[in-house]
Structures are given as structure tokens and as C-alpha cells.
Amino acid sequence: MKANSYISVDKIRSDFSAAMSAMYRDEVPAYGTLMSLVAKVNDETLAADPHLKTRLEATDSLERISEERHGAIRLGTPEELSMMRRVFAVMGMFPVGYYDLSTAGVPVHSTAFRPVGAESLSRNPFRVFTSLLRLDLIADEALRAEAAAVLAGRKIFTSAAIALVEKAERDGGLDRADAARFVTEVLETFRWHDHAIVSADMYKRLHDAHRLIADVVSFKGPHINHLTPRTLDIDKVQARMPEEGIAPKAIVEGPPTRTCPILLRQTSFKALEEAVSFIAEDGSWQKGSHTARFGEIEQRGVALTPKGRALYDRLLTDTRARVRPAADGSNAAEYEAALADVFKAFPDTWDGIRKAGLGYFRYSLTEKGKAVTGRNADLETAIEAGLIQFDPIVYEDFLPVSAAGIFQSNLGDDATQDFVASPNQVMFERDMGATVLDEFAHYAGIQRASLEMCLGIVNMAAAAE
Ligand code: OOG
Ligand code: NI
């Protein structure tokens, strides 16, 4: 078969993301409600801010926003993670970043599978925060062995899905019919199963060790546990969630409300209590319940340079040293006030962020700049003369402290446990069968490429800084 009859990986990813969204809307109706609210607020925000709309249009980002979402899954074994990597690769999604959640009392470590090129991201930025359970952090050896045995016996991928991954790898792509089958087959892995693969007794023991372990080990597959639309105004959605019958968690994770959004702000609503059945020894089913799936929204801001990120981390640590957000939300207002106060130290104009070297930007020629191509000027002079403009590059990744907050609000307050901080990126990468990409290198690359496009106007020696 000729390569040009293959479906693009971006199209497969878009189709998969749409199929997953439809499935989740069916399974968790509150997700549908949240999607409509986000769409409404995004429309209102764009109507009130024509400049934002123009810039999003100009940078090919407007269309992606209504389609934009991330999901999260939790896997049980290295084999599952390595196969999942191959599945995502067929959709043009690659592991970016390493997140150690053990420090936050959650026995997993994670990466985000996502598209990486500017073009793929503008087509569809669908990403999946993917965690691998760390049984090595569970103290009870007998339970650890039992959990490992259950995980070893389950198959989370259909044979057809595996066959299609192998075919895509062998042939370098999938044709239309195979791509459609691939989407349907892979969706099965993410589906909710209300019949557990363990007994009620074992579920309880797993749950007592850590709720997250029960969630990963007890079921047939790694059900998608949330799907998160992107909003342009998270404060507004948070404020309006109760009107729609949804109760958000007490605080928005991440940076405070700002004129120029940085990184990522997220909030979620609590996991639903769902009816499940456990398998009894005589093969009959015993009724019970499990909380796993929740809803989340996010607002994305500019990607920060290592210098910007270090400043963000320091300010967040300072804030949390002043006020530690309580899980019950009792000091939410105090925390928000402290956050806003401490973050005054972070410049809040695009040019201020750019000049201080804190954020990544995409440069382009203005109409005026296009007309005078050939002139030599350094970058700052060209910007001042209105020849070159810049737009923030969107942060496409996640934040470990925020992720821990999201995990915890859904695991319940009693779930906080201390593990010895033990990041192990080497083990994670070995289990996955690939190394993770460095997010900073990726943003720097986009910025550099945009500067090169302006070549001829700017003095590249100055611009390449
Ligand atoms: C993943 C939580 C992390 C985020 O948006 O930071 C996450 C999980 O609960 O499995 O999705
Ligand atoms: Ni999330």
C-alpha cells in the first residue's frame, strides 16, 4: 500500500478524542453539562475580548479550543505502559515530561502523552496524563504480591487493537478502514466496567492500603477517570458550576487569576459514587460502590522558560508555606489572597514576561514588517518599530503540585499518606520502553523556529538568545 493512502496521525487522534468525549458524555452526564458551560463561557470571553479572538485566529489556535481536552488513566504494569505508548504513537502522541507523585502521597509516577509539533498541536492537542502504579511503594508485601498477580492476569487491550498497532508499526500507518477500527478497538481500553475483577474482600484490602491501588487493580481496564475541556476563563466557570448543579473543589490549582495567564490553572468536581459488583467465590456478584470518575476544567497560559518555571515554583512554595490549603476548603479565601499577594512578584504584562526571559513566545511579522523585508534590525528594535509581533506559546503540559491536588481531592481527605520521595525516571522510562521528551526543549524549538521565520528583518544573532 502506498504511504499517501494512510490516514494522518492527527486525524486518528482527533477522531479518537471525539469518540472518547462522546463515550464519556454518555457515561458521566455531568461532563456534558460542564462542556456546555465551558462553551458558553468561552463564547462570552471571546465576545468581550476581540483582541484575544484576533490573536487566537491569527495563531491558528481558535479552532482547537472548543475541541481541546485532556484525559487521565492509571495503569498497573510496565507491559501495559509500554503497549499504551505504542497505541498513542499511532495517534501521534508521545511521552513528554516525568511527574513523580510519590512526594504528594500518591503511589504513581506519570507522563503526558501528547502531540509535539506546532502543526499537530494546532490540529488537535488531545493529551492523556498517564500514570503507572508503583506497587514498590506499598509496604504490605503479601498484598503487593496479590495485586501483582491480579494485574498480571488481566488484558486491557483487545487483540484487534494490538494487531492494528503492530500493523501500523510495520507499514508506517493505517488506511481509512483500519484507522476507524483502531479508534473503536482502542476505545474499549478506556471504557468503564462496573463488574470488578476482584472480590469485595480484596477490594477492601486494596482500598485500605490506598484508594488509588483499589482503583487500578480492581477493574478490567484503566477506565478514563476524567476528561477536561479547556476554558478561557476558569474563574467564571468555577463560579457558575453550582448553578449547573456541579460542586467544584474549593480552590483552583496553579497560579492565581492574572491579566496574562501563565502555565495552567485547574479545578475539578468530586468523583461520583458509582455502583459496582464484586465477584464472590461462588461466581455470583455482590453489590458495592466505587468512586473513580470526576470532572475537571482547565485554563492554559503561556509556557514558561526554566527561569520562569523556577520563579513560579518558588512563589507557589512561598504561598503554601504561608497558607496550606485545607482539603475541606475552610481556608480557601485566605489561600487565594496569599497566592495573589505572593505572585505580585511575577510580571503581568506579555512584554514584561518576555523581556524578563520568563516565558516562551511565537514571533511573527506584522503587515508592516512583511512590507519591509530585507531590512536589518535587532529583535527589540523591530518590535518597537511595529515590524515584529509576538504571541504567547501555550503551555501544553501539566504541573505536579496541581496534579497531586487533583488526585487528592478525588481520593478523599483520609487518603493522604506519606511515602518517601522516590522519583525514579529511569525505571519509568525502562518500563515504558522509551525516554520522555523534555518539554522546555520543545517550547524553545517553537520559539526559535518562529524567529527564524522572521529572518531578514531581524538580526538573528541578537534574536537567537
Ligand atoms: C490524574 C491527575 C492529574 C491533571 O490534570 O493534573 C491530572 C489522575 O487523577 O489520574 O489529570
Ligand atoms: Ni486532569
Side-chain angles (χ1 to χ4, degrees):
M1 177 171 298
K2 286 202 210 87
N4 62 10
S5 60
Y6 292 149
I7 297 296
S8 85
V9 296
D10 295 335
K11 169 86 168 88
I12 302 177
R13 181 176 64 261
S14 291
D15 289 352
F16 183 74
S17 170
M20 181 100 99
S21 182
M23 180 176 84
Y24 202 60
R25 205 164 26 210
D26 253 16
E27 290 181 347
V28 181
Y31 167 67
T33 310
L34 202 54
M35 290 249 293
S36 320
L37 177 58
V38 165
K40 235 186 288 171
V41 168
N42 286 357
D43 285 347
E44 289 170 17
T45 308
L46 290 169
D49 189 347
H51 178 71
L52 176 66
K53 187 167 182 200
T54 314
R55 292 320 306 155
L56 289 174
E57 266 166 358
T59 50
D60 268 347
S61 322
L62 187 59
E63 227 168 277
R64 73 172 240 190
I65 288 170
S66 59
E67 290 299 311
E68 180 156 354
R69 57 186 74 94
H70 83 252
I73 51 169
R74 303 153 183 173
L75 301 171
T77 66
E79 293 72 28
E80 291 175 1
L81 178 63
S82 132
M83 189 64 207
M84 195 54 96
R85 168 184 61 79
R86 295 166 62 194
V87 166
F88 282 136
V90 175
M91 299 186 240
M93 295 161 76
F94 305 98
V96 181
Y98 171 77
Y99 304 89
D100 168 37
L101 279 303
S102 67
T103 38
V106 185
V108 302
H109 49 182
S110 322
T111 189
F113 286 95
R114 66 165 177 87
V116 286
E119 161 115 22
S120 290
L121 283 162
S122 78
R123 289 275 189 81
N124 187 306
F126 178 61
R127 30 181 119 63
V128 179
F129 191 91
T130 302
S131 300
L132 176 63
L133 179 63
R134 293 189 64 180
L135 285 178
D136 61 305
L137 296 182
I138 303 310
D140 182 340
E141 241 172 75
L143 187 66
R144 201 194 309 165
E146 244 182 311
V150 172
L151 288 171
R154 74 176 187 179
K155 284 199 173 66
I156 67 168
F157 300 98
T158 67
S159 347
I162 295 173
L164 286 162
V165 169
E166 285 165 353
K167 186 169 183 186
E169 287 171 348
R170 199 174 51 236
D171 300 351
L174 293 176
D175 67 17
R176 186 174 303 280
D178 279 345
R181 282 207 305 138
F182 173 85
V183 168
T184 311
E185 291 294 332
V186 170
L187 201 58
E188 287 307 306
T189 300
F190 294 81
R191 195 180 286 287
W192 171 248
H193 300 280
D194 59 6
H195 285 65
I197 54 172
V198 298
S199 67
D201 168 66
M202 174 143 188
Y203 176 85
K204 181 168 182 332
R205 281 185 292 123
L206 293 168
H207 195 277
D208 287 349
H210 199 292
R211 289 170 72 142
L212 191 107
I213 304 175
D215 183 55
V216 177
V217 177
S218 307
F219 299 92
K220 209 171 128 191
H223 39 257
I224 180 91
N225 66 48
H226 65 283
L227 217 46
T228 303
R230 174 175 167 198
T231 174
L232 295 170
D233 189 339
I234 200 168
D235 295 308
K236 214 182 224 182
V237 179
Q238 169 100 343
R240 280 167 48 178
M241 265 153 81
E243 289 165 33
E244 306 281 342
I246 301 171
K249 77 193 270 296
I251 60 152
V252 173
E253 299 287 347
T257 309
R258 296 165 45 90
T259 308
C260 301
I262 54 171
L263 295 172
L264 176 64
R265 301 184 71 212
Q266 299 172 298
T267 180
S268 59
F269 65 81
K270 289 258 161 86
L272 318 164
E273 178 146 340
E274 303 183 79
V276 295
S277 316
F278 298 103
I279 185 137
E281 245 165 52
D282 62 5
S284 67
W285 294 98
Q286 192 182 338
K287 287 197 181 337
S289 72
H290 177 66
T291 50
R293 299 183 302 162
F294 59 98
E296 184 192 44
I297 49 167
E298 66 187 11
Q299 179 171 359
R300 292 189 172 266
V302 66
L304 299 185
T305 60
K307 184 180 171 197
R309 179 55 187 269
L311 179 58
Y312 169 80
D313 285 339
R314 183 164 66 72
L315 297 178
L316 191 68
T317 305
D318 288 356
T319 306
R320 294 169 78 93
R322 262 206 229 173
V323 184
R324 188 151 198 97
D328 64 0
S330 51
N331 62 358
E334 221 181 311
Y335 174 75
E336 268 166 26
L339 189 67
D341 188 42
V342 172
F343 269 80
K344 282 187 188 136
F346 204 110
D348 199 9
T349 62
W350 292 128
D351 205 37
I353 294 171
R354 190 184 66 84
K355 284 217 178 90
L358 300 172
Y360 290 110
F361 292 86
R362 182 182 279 111
Y363 295 90
S364 57
L365 295 175
T366 59
E367 287 308 314
K368 188 173 161 196
K370 283 180 196 156
V372 295
T373 300
R375 199 174 94 175
N376 214 32
D378 72 26
L379 180 63
E380 295 309 319
T381 314
I383 289 171
E384 271 158 39
L387 307 176
I388 286 180
Q389 59 195 342
F390 55 89
D391 292 283
I393 295 176
V394 176
Y395 186 60
E396 307 287 352
D397 295 287
F398 294 86
L399 297 169
V401 176
S402 300
I406 299 286
F407 265 108
Q408 259 146 16
S409 79
N410 285 289
L411 293 170
D413 314 342
D414 56 338
T416 313
Q417 268 181 38
D418 283 332
F419 295 108
V420 181
S422 49
N424 197 337
Q425 186 169 341
V426 171
M427 182 170 85
F428 185 83
E429 292 178 331
R430 196 192 54 216
D431 287 351
M432 181 165 62
T435 52
V436 301
L437 298 173
D438 171 26
E439 60 188 74
F440 294 107
H442 159 77
Y443 298 117
I446 295 179
Q447 175 170 284
R448 198 175 321 112
S450 77
L451 278 166
E452 275 158 22
M453 295 275 285
C454 300
L455 188 76
I457 265 267
V458 296
N459 174 336
M460 287 311 292
E465 300 292 298

